[in-house]
Amino acid sequence: VSFNDKNLVFYNYAVAGILKSGYEVRIFCNNTISKASEQLCVFYADEWEYDNNSKRVSVSLKDGLEEWQEINYGGVNYDPMNSTSKNFEWLYKEISNFTKENSKIEVADFKDLDEKTKKLLSKLYIEYPVIFSGNIWSVWQKFGEATQTHIFKNKDGLVTCKYNGGN
């Protein structure tokens, strides 16, 4: 994202050395006629650049999900002596609870998913519940592939799961 620093506010930040990565950035769409404002997304600042000549500020943004590649999940072992099938609602709760405990990224609670998605996950069963260890990113990716759902960060910065007919 690039913008002009008309009032030199960001120039002062640059001089003070406080333009750093990790700051939360919320992007809004403001309707100047109706005075309505809608949040479009939540990102995190990564790299800042300030051009003193043009007073132009540039910042690269990240969604924060790349941290999931660094967090390992130990998995769930299959116990043949206690073989009980489990539904994907159980698995969603298992993975989302682990993610919430180990990541700064917010994940939607199962109860907050849309009805179509909740219905699918509660009716879809894993006969031999086992999850191989790996990073959270790969676990969520496998979950999405197995359930034909989309895992994404919504406009409020909340990671959610949505079944859209299997597309």
Side-chain angles (χ1 to χ4, degrees):
V1 173
S2 296
F3 55 92
N4 292 324
D5 186 23
K6 294 189 301 188
N7 298 325
L8 301 180
V9 172
F10 282 83
Y11 171 78
N12 292 325
Y13 294 158
V15 169
I18 59 174
L19 294 180
K20 299 185 191 273
S21 65
Y23 290 126
E24 186 176 271
V25 177
R26 293 176 181 264
I27 298 176
F28 292 83
C29 180
N30 295 323
N31 183 328
T32 56
I33 297 171
S34 69
K35 305 294 186 217
S37 180
E38 179 183 356
Q39 182 171 305
L40 300 178
C41 55
V42 178
F43 286 101
Y44 298 94
D46 187 30
E47 294 183 19
W48 292 87
E49 290 182 27
Y50 193 92
D51 185 332
N52 286 325
N53 295 329
S54 66
K55 306 300 184 227
R56 188 140 188 90
V57 181
S58 296
V59 60
S60 59
L61 303 173
K62 291 184 175 183
D63 61 12
L65 294 176
E66 65 279 351
E67 84 165 5
W68 284 7
Q69 296 174 11
E70 306 298 322
I71 301 171
N72 289 319
Y73 178 74
V76 174
N77 293 322
Y78 174 67
D79 180 5
M81 301 304 288
N82 185 15
S83 61
T84 305
S85 62
K86 298 193 182 217
N87 63 14
F88 275 87
E89 175 183 347
W90 164 82
L91 184 55
Y92 180 88
K93 290 175 180 177
E94 170 76 22
I95 300 169
S96 65
N97 286 338
F98 179 86
T99 303
K100 289 175 189 178
E101 292 170 6
N102 293 280
S103 171
K104 68 179 179 182
I105 303 297
E106 296 283 330
V107 180
D109 290 330
F110 181 81
K111 67 179 177 53
D112 296 325
L113 301 179
D114 66 87
E115 292 304 316
K116 190 175 181 181
T117 304
K118 288 193 291 192
K119 184 176 181 179
L120 171 82
L121 297 180
S122 64
K123 289 186 174 189
L124 194 60
Y125 275 80
I126 311 165
E127 190 166 345
Y128 304 103
V130 61
I131 308 169
F132 295 108
S133 62
N135 61 48
I136 298 175
W137 180 279
S138 67
V139 172
W140 277 114
Q141 181 180 1
K142 290 173 188 172
F143 179 90
E145 289 170 357
T147 58
Q148 296 184 339
T149 56
H150 299 277
I151 313 295
F152 63 97
K153 197 171 181 185
N154 69 16
K155 68 180 184 171
D156 297 317
L158 184 70
V159 172
T160 191
C161 175
K162 182 167 180 62
Y163 178 67
N164 198 22
N167 64 1

